[in-house]
Amino acid sequence: MVAAAAAALNTLVHPVSLVAQERSAPQREAMAHTQIVKEDFHGWPNTYRLSNGVIETQVVTDIGPRIMDVHAAGGPNLLYVRQSEAGKGGENEWVQRGGWRLWIAPERRETTYALDNAPCAVEVLNADTLRVTGPPQPAAGIQKIVEVTLRSGESRLRIVSHIKNISDHPLTYAAWSLPVLRPGGRAFVPQDVGSPTAFDAIRRLLLWSYTKIADPRYHFGDRLIEIDHTQVKPAPTGQSGRRDDESKIGVDSAQGWVAYLLDGTLFLKRFPHDPKGNYPDGGATIEVYSSHEFLELENLGPLTTIAPGQEIVLPEDWWLFPAASVPKDEPGALQVLNEFVGRTSPRW
């Protein structure tokens, strides 16, 4: 079955849309138009590199759908790759691996953790868009389709996720986007502040059962939460199960952005918000999980009931801003971050 899926993967690719020749890194950085090249990435041979001279990304299709690399031209990968699991597939259990993945909420072992370890089908739709279709997930009743677009000269990567109901009955899920980022950076989560005269102008700060409020990684400001990954200490040697280095929070922000500063590059993620939506996990639109190994900068869509054949669609934009700096104080950080947010223009 795996071999058949791999064959289907290769036959669905439009060969005219691919760039056959390889170029050096300086040549790639100089290109203004988008290139899509099939190549090996960490032992996954059916990987597609999208590059436009400004940013590059690697979309792995031997498993997934997964995005395993995104970086500014000439810069390091911002996503985390667990080397012990790189280049592998076909496992009989769900594997973390790192990179970006598409999940469904509510988080349940039998549905959320459905296997994504088999080859996907891939199509090059046009000069700047790749579509990856994962195998059906019968236990969850869904199939995942992800479209990745990198337009010429832009520092924005557009990702549109589709969760299709392939069962014979209605399903209620929320789309859940989880980029796993390399350790050592600072995450920024906006908080909404309503009118002080409104009786019901509350803000939800959601704490998972293993989260410690006094954890030094957190700075809870009035309008901004910062998670400083450099403050995350390793778990005690030999600790099993839920470890002391793990922590997770969520918020109900309606602002539609979250950010991570790493190695001088600001990773800014934009996504839509539905003011009438019923969001999972007590109303979370943004969630941040962190351990000593990595940090996950998560956003969710609202819970949606879809009939057989219908789908949930979640668009998001990833913006990369190299040579960025964010002050340590909350007013200064907010000013800088809002300037970056103002430079983006999502169209959902």
Side-chain angles (χ1 to χ4, degrees):
M1 183 173 179
V2 171
L9 181 153
N10 287 321
T11 58
L12 281 172
V13 175
H14 195 324
V16 176
S17 300
L18 297 181
V19 176
Q21 67 269 30
E22 290 299 317
R23 293 178 171 88
S24 67
Q27 287 175 318
R28 290 198 303 268
E29 292 170 18
M31 292 187 297
H33 57 286
T34 301
Q35 301 286 302
I36 302 178
V37 179
K38 182 180 175 182
E39 62 187 18
D40 182 277
F41 178 79
H42 287 265
W44 289 299
N46 296 296
T47 298
Y48 292 80
R49 171 168 52 82
L50 285 74
S51 58
N52 66 356
V54 182
I55 63 175
E56 290 191 353
T57 189
Q58 297 274 7
V59 183
V60 173
T61 66
D62 294 287
I63 56 166
R66 292 265 182 157
I67 298 173
M68 296 302 294
D69 182 300
V70 65
H71 62 272
N77 185 9
L78 298 176
L79 299 177
Y80 175 75
V81 180
R82 184 179 278 175
Q83 292 300 318
S84 61
E85 297 167 354
K88 299 177 181 178
E91 298 91 346
N92 59 7
E93 61 182 3
W94 185 83
V95 180
Q96 163 58 249
R97 300 194 203 280
W100 172 87
R101 65 187 185 274
L102 173 64
W103 261 7
I104 52 174
E107 187 171 3
R108 301 288 185 267
R109 177 63 62 181
E110 64 275 12
T111 53
T112 308
Y113 291 82
L115 299 185
D116 60 355
N117 304 332
C120 304
V122 59
E123 302 168 84
V124 178
L125 297 184
N126 51 50
D128 55 25
T129 301
L130 190 76
R131 176 188 290 156
V132 182
T133 301
Q137 296 183 342
I142 64 166
Q143 188 168 27
K144 299 174 182 177
I145 303 100
V146 175
E147 293 168 358
V148 182
T149 299
L150 181 62
R151 294 194 171 92
S152 298
E154 289 191 348
S155 58
R156 174 183 63 170
L157 185 70
R158 166 65 60 93
I159 302 168
V160 181
S161 297
H162 304 255
I163 296 172
K164 184 178 181 180
N165 183 350
I166 59 170
S167 76
D168 60 0
H169 57 276
L171 298 170
T172 301
Y173 291 127
W176 188 1
S177 167
L178 297 97
V180 183
L181 295 151
R182 287 196 296 109
R186 297 161 60 202
F188 304 97
V189 179
Q191 287 204 87
D192 300 345
V193 179
S195 169
T197 61
F199 294 120
D200 58 353
I202 63 171
R203 291 175 283 170
R204 291 186 179 93
L205 174 59
L206 305 156
L207 305 176
W208 268 244
S209 58
Y210 50 93
T211 299
K212 299 177 177 64
I213 294 177
D215 194 309
R217 79 188 74 187
Y218 296 116
H219 175 74
F220 295 102
D222 292 330
R223 296 177 179 270
L224 189 69
I225 300 172
E226 178 177 335
I227 303 97
D228 184 352
H229 193 274
T230 64
Q231 299 300 311
V232 182
K233 306 303 180 186
T237 303
Q239 193 174 52
S240 60
R242 188 64 74 183
R243 305 182 312 275
D244 286 350
D245 63 317
E246 296 181 89
S247 188
K248 185 172 180 177
I249 65 168
V251 300
D252 64 346
S253 173
Q255 297 182 44
W257 68 269
V258 66
Y260 189 62
L261 181 66
L262 179 67
D263 296 336
T265 296
L266 185 70
F267 172 89
L268 176 65
K269 184 159 68 153
R270 300 296 311 271
F271 45 88
H273 174 262
D274 181 357
K276 297 181 180 179
N278 176 26
Y279 284 81
D281 296 340
T285 59
I286 299 170
E287 297 175 357
V288 179
Y289 166 89
S290 53
S291 67
H292 185 255
E293 186 180 10
F294 54 76
L295 182 143
E296 292 184 350
L297 204 63
E298 310 167 7
N299 67 280
L300 302 99
L303 289 161
T304 304
T305 299
I306 48 174
Q310 292 184 339
E311 60 182 21
I312 298 169
V313 180
L314 179 67
E316 58 189 285
D317 287 342
W318 295 3
W319 292 83
L320 301 188
F321 296 103
S325 177
V326 179
K328 292 287 188 179
D329 64 292
E330 184 181 11
L334 271 172
Q335 179 180 348
V336 169
L337 290 167
N338 284 331
E339 288 174 357
F340 281 114
V341 171
R343 292 165 62 180
T344 66
S345 55
R347 297 181 182 89
W348 310 124

mmCIF file of all heavy atoms in Angstrom, residues 311-334:
data_model
loop_
_atom_site.group_PDB
_atom_site.id
_atom_site.type_symbol
_atom_site.label_atom_id
_atom_site.label_comp_id
_atom_site.label_asym_id
_atom_site.label_seq_id
_atom_site.Cartn_x
_atom_site.Cartn_y
_atom_site.Cartn_z
ATOM 1 N N GLU A 311 -16.028 20.297 4.139
ATOM 2 C CA GLU A 311 -14.698 20.455 4.722
ATOM 3 C C GLU A 311 -14.604 21.724 5.561
ATOM 4 O O GLU A 311 -15.365 22.682 5.357
ATOM 5 C CB GLU A 311 -13.620 20.476 3.639
ATOM 6 C CG GLU A 311 -13.754 21.593 2.636
ATOM 7 C CD GLU A 311 -12.688 21.542 1.549
ATOM 8 O OE1 GLU A 311 -12.098 20.465 1.317
ATOM 9 O OE2 GLU A 311 -12.443 22.606 0.937
ATOM 10 N N ILE A 312 -13.700 21.696 6.502
ATOM 11 C CA ILE A 312 -13.284 22.877 7.261
ATOM 12 C C ILE A 312 -12.071 23.457 6.559
ATOM 13 O O ILE A 312 -11.169 22.720 6.142
ATOM 14 C CB ILE A 312 -12.928 22.505 8.708
ATOM 15 C CG1 ILE A 312 -14.144 21.928 9.438
ATOM 16 C CG2 ILE A 312 -12.368 23.711 9.459
ATOM 17 C CD1 ILE A 312 -13.795 21.309 10.779
ATOM 18 N N VAL A 313 -12.016 24.780 6.416
ATOM 19 C CA VAL A 313 -10.890 25.443 5.756
ATOM 20 C C VAL A 313 -10.279 26.439 6.732
ATOM 21 O O VAL A 313 -10.986 27.281 7.292
ATOM 22 C CB VAL A 313 -11.325 26.160 4.465
ATOM 23 C CG1 VAL A 313 -10.123 26.846 3.811
ATOM 24 C CG2 VAL A 313 -11.973 25.172 3.498
ATOM 25 N N LEU A 314 -8.981 26.328 6.949
ATOM 26 C CA LEU A 314 -8.259 27.247 7.835
ATOM 27 C C LEU A 314 -7.085 27.852 7.076
ATOM 28 O O LEU A 314 -6.081 27.174 6.814
ATOM 29 C CB LEU A 314 -7.744 26.527 9.076
ATOM 30 C CG LEU A 314 -6.943 27.395 10.063
ATOM 31 C CD1 LEU A 314 -7.846 28.442 10.709
ATOM 32 C CD2 LEU A 314 -6.271 26.543 11.138
ATOM 33 N N PRO A 315 -7.151 29.137 6.699
ATOM 34 C CA PRO A 315 -5.991 29.794 6.079
ATOM 35 C C PRO A 315 -5.102 30.432 7.141
ATOM 36 O O PRO A 315 -5.561 30.810 8.226
ATOM 37 C CB PRO A 315 -6.644 30.862 5.204
ATOM 38 C CG PRO A 315 -7.888 31.241 5.966
ATOM 39 C CD PRO A 315 -8.339 30.008 6.709
ATOM 40 N N GLU A 316 -3.835 30.562 6.832
ATOM 41 C CA GLU A 316 -2.905 31.284 7.706
ATOM 42 C C GLU A 316 -1.735 31.781 6.873
ATOM 43 O O GLU A 316 -1.404 31.211 5.831
ATOM 44 C CB GLU A 316 -2.410 30.407 8.850
ATOM 45 C CG GLU A 316 -1.700 29.132 8.428
ATOM 46 C CD GLU A 316 -1.419 28.209 9.605
ATOM 47 O OE1 GLU A 316 -0.502 28.516 10.387
ATOM 48 O OE2 GLU A 316 -2.129 27.185 9.738
ATOM 49 N N ASP A 317 -1.129 32.850 7.336
ATOM 50 C CA ASP A 317 0.055 33.416 6.691
ATOM 51 C C ASP A 317 1.222 33.382 7.661
ATOM 52 O O ASP A 317 1.075 33.763 8.830
ATOM 53 C CB ASP A 317 -0.187 34.874 6.271
ATOM 54 C CG ASP A 317 -1.104 34.992 5.070
ATOM 55 O OD1 ASP A 317 -1.281 33.992 4.354
ATOM 56 O OD2 ASP A 317 -1.655 36.086 4.857
ATOM 57 N N TRP A 318 2.383 32.949 7.181
ATOM 58 C CA TRP A 318 3.619 33.017 7.948
ATOM 59 C C TRP A 318 4.485 34.112 7.339
ATOM 60 O O TRP A 318 4.847 34.042 6.161
ATOM 61 C CB TRP A 318 4.381 31.700 7.885
ATOM 62 C CG TRP A 318 3.704 30.533 8.525
ATOM 63 C CD1 TRP A 318 2.461 30.494 9.111
ATOM 64 C CD2 TRP A 318 4.231 29.197 8.616
ATOM 65 N NE1 TRP A 318 2.184 29.229 9.563
ATOM 66 C CE2 TRP A 318 3.246 28.414 9.288
ATOM 67 C CE3 TRP A 318 5.417 28.599 8.212
ATOM 68 C CZ2 TRP A 318 3.444 27.051 9.540
ATOM 69 C CZ3 TRP A 318 5.610 27.248 8.468
ATOM 70 C CH2 TRP A 318 4.638 26.489 9.135
ATOM 71 N N TRP A 319 4.805 35.109 8.129
ATOM 72 C CA TRP A 319 5.689 36.193 7.707
ATOM 73 C C TRP A 319 7.027 36.056 8.412
ATOM 74 O O TRP A 319 7.078 35.789 9.628
ATOM 75 C CB TRP A 319 5.076 37.549 8.053
ATOM 76 C CG TRP A 319 3.840 37.897 7.281
ATOM 77 C CD1 TRP A 319 2.559 37.503 7.556
ATOM 78 C CD2 TRP A 319 3.767 38.703 6.111
ATOM 79 N NE1 TRP A 319 1.693 38.023 6.623
ATOM 80 C CE2 TRP A 319 2.405 38.770 5.731
ATOM 81 C CE3 TRP A 319 4.720 39.395 5.352
ATOM 82 C CZ2 TRP A 319 1.967 39.484 4.621
ATOM 83 C CZ3 TRP A 319 4.281 40.117 4.243
ATOM 84 C CH2 TRP A 319 2.936 40.158 3.886
ATOM 85 N N LEU A 320 8.119 36.246 7.679
ATOM 86 C CA LEU A 320 9.458 36.223 8.257
ATOM 87 C C LEU A 320 10.091 37.603 8.113
ATOM 88 O O LEU A 320 10.135 38.157 7.011
ATOM 89 C CB LEU A 320 10.344 35.176 7.571
ATOM 90 C CG LEU A 320 9.875 33.719 7.605
ATOM 91 C CD1 LEU A 320 10.969 32.808 7.046
ATOM 92 C CD2 LEU A 320 9.467 33.278 8.995
ATOM 93 N N PHE A 321 10.576 38.136 9.224
ATOM 94 C CA PHE A 321 11.228 39.439 9.237
ATOM 95 C C PHE A 321 12.640 39.275 9.822
ATOM 96 O O PHE A 321 12.801 39.219 11.039
ATOM 97 C CB PHE A 321 10.427 40.445 10.063
ATOM 98 C CG PHE A 321 9.063 40.744 9.502
ATOM 99 C CD1 PHE A 321 7.929 40.178 10.062
ATOM 100 C CD2 PHE A 321 8.918 41.583 8.412
ATOM 101 C CE1 PHE A 321 6.666 40.444 9.558
ATOM 102 C CE2 PHE A 321 7.655 41.862 7.888
ATOM 103 C CZ PHE A 321 6.530 41.289 8.464
ATOM 104 N N PRO A 322 13.664 39.161 8.972
ATOM 105 C CA PRO A 322 15.041 39.046 9.470
ATOM 106 C C PRO A 322 15.505 40.354 10.116
ATOM 107 O O PRO A 322 14.893 41.412 9.929
ATOM 108 C CB PRO A 322 15.855 38.728 8.205
ATOM 109 C CG PRO A 322 14.855 38.320 7.176
ATOM 110 C CD PRO A 322 13.600 39.043 7.510
ATOM 111 N N ALA A 323 16.584 40.258 10.862
ATOM 112 C CA ALA A 323 17.198 41.415 11.517
ATOM 113 C C ALA A 323 16.191 42.155 12.403
ATOM 114 O O ALA A 323 16.182 43.383 12.457
ATOM 115 C CB ALA A 323 17.816 42.357 10.485
ATOM 116 N N ALA A 324 15.348 41.403 13.081
ATOM 117 C CA ALA A 324 14.344 42.000 13.959
ATOM 118 C C ALA A 324 14.840 42.016 15.401
ATOM 119 O O ALA A 324 15.651 41.191 15.815
ATOM 120 C CB ALA A 324 13.037 41.221 13.874
ATOM 121 N N SER A 325 14.326 42.965 16.146
ATOM 122 C CA SER A 325 14.644 43.088 17.568
ATOM 123 C C SER A 325 13.384 43.519 18.302
ATOM 124 O O SER A 325 12.669 44.418 17.841
ATOM 125 C CB SER A 325 15.762 44.118 17.782
ATOM 126 O OG SER A 325 16.026 44.284 19.162
ATOM 127 N N VAL A 326 13.097 42.882 19.426
ATOM 128 C CA VAL A 326 11.910 43.199 20.217
ATOM 129 C C VAL A 326 12.348 43.551 21.631
ATOM 130 O O VAL A 326 13.010 42.741 22.292
ATOM 131 C CB VAL A 326 10.922 42.010 20.242
ATOM 132 C CG1 VAL A 326 9.697 42.351 21.101
ATOM 133 C CG2 VAL A 326 10.496 41.623 18.831
ATOM 134 N N PRO A 327 12.002 44.748 22.120
ATOM 135 C CA PRO A 327 12.413 45.152 23.475
ATOM 136 C C PRO A 327 11.892 44.208 24.547
ATOM 137 O O PRO A 327 10.922 43.469 24.342
ATOM 138 C CB PRO A 327 11.794 46.548 23.619
ATOM 139 C CG PRO A 327 11.605 47.032 22.215
ATOM 140 C CD PRO A 327 11.283 45.817 21.406
ATOM 141 N N LYS A 328 12.505 44.259 25.708
ATOM 142 C CA LYS A 328 12.122 43.396 26.821
ATOM 143 C C LYS A 328 10.903 43.911 27.561
ATOM 144 O O LYS A 328 10.141 43.134 28.150
ATOM 145 C CB LYS A 328 13.291 43.251 27.797
ATOM 146 C CG LYS A 328 14.474 42.473 27.250
ATOM 147 C CD LYS A 328 14.176 40.995 27.161
ATOM 148 C CE LYS A 328 15.408 40.183 26.799
ATOM 149 N NZ LYS A 328 15.132 38.725 26.727
ATOM 150 N N ASP A 329 10.696 45.226 27.583
ATOM 151 C CA ASP A 329 9.561 45.769 28.320
ATOM 152 C C ASP A 329 8.288 45.645 27.502
ATOM 153 O O ASP A 329 8.318 45.684 26.261
ATOM 154 C CB ASP A 329 9.807 47.234 28.690
ATOM 155 C CG ASP A 329 9.920 48.120 27.459
ATOM 156 O OD1 ASP A 329 10.912 47.978 26.714
ATOM 157 O OD2 ASP A 329 9.009 48.933 27.219
ATOM 158 N N GLU A 330 7.154 45.509 28.185
ATOM 159 C CA GLU A 330 5.901 45.283 27.477
ATOM 160 C C GLU A 330 5.495 46.435 26.561
ATOM 161 O O GLU A 330 5.147 46.189 25.396
ATOM 162 C CB GLU A 330 4.769 44.987 28.459
ATOM 163 C CG GLU A 330 3.465 44.655 27.749
ATOM 164 C CD GLU A 330 2.325 44.376 28.708
ATOM 165 O OE1 GLU A 330 2.482 44.630 29.919
ATOM 166 O OE2 GLU A 330 1.268 43.910 28.256
ATOM 167 N N PRO A 331 5.540 47.699 26.978
ATOM 168 C CA PRO A 331 5.163 48.775 26.052
ATOM 169 C C PRO A 331 6.041 48.820 24.806
ATOM 170 O O PRO A 331 5.543 48.985 23.682
ATOM 171 C CB PRO A 331 5.318 50.043 26.897
ATOM 172 C CG PRO A 331 5.172 49.582 28.310
ATOM 173 C CD PRO A 331 5.792 48.222 28.335
ATOM 174 N N GLY A 332 7.357 48.662 24.996
ATOM 175 C CA GLY A 332 8.260 48.674 23.845
ATOM 176 C C GLY A 332 8.036 47.484 22.936
ATOM 177 O O GLY A 332 8.041 47.614 21.708
ATOM 178 N N ALA A 333 7.822 46.297 23.528
ATOM 179 C CA ALA A 333 7.579 45.104 22.727
ATOM 180 C C ALA A 333 6.286 45.233 21.936
ATOM 181 O O ALA A 333 6.235 44.899 20.741
ATOM 182 C CB ALA A 333 7.531 43.872 23.633
ATOM 183 N N LEU A 334 5.235 45.740 22.585
ATOM 184 C CA LEU A 334 3.961 45.904 21.897
ATOM 185 C C LEU A 334 4.071 46.874 20.728
ATOM 186 O O LEU A 334 3.508 46.636 19.649
ATOM 187 C CB LEU A 334 2.900 46.401 22.873
ATOM 188 C CG LEU A 334 2.108 45.330 23.625
ATOM 189 C CD1 LEU A 334 1.229 45.972 24.689
ATOM 190 C CD2 LEU A 334 1.279 44.494 22.666
#
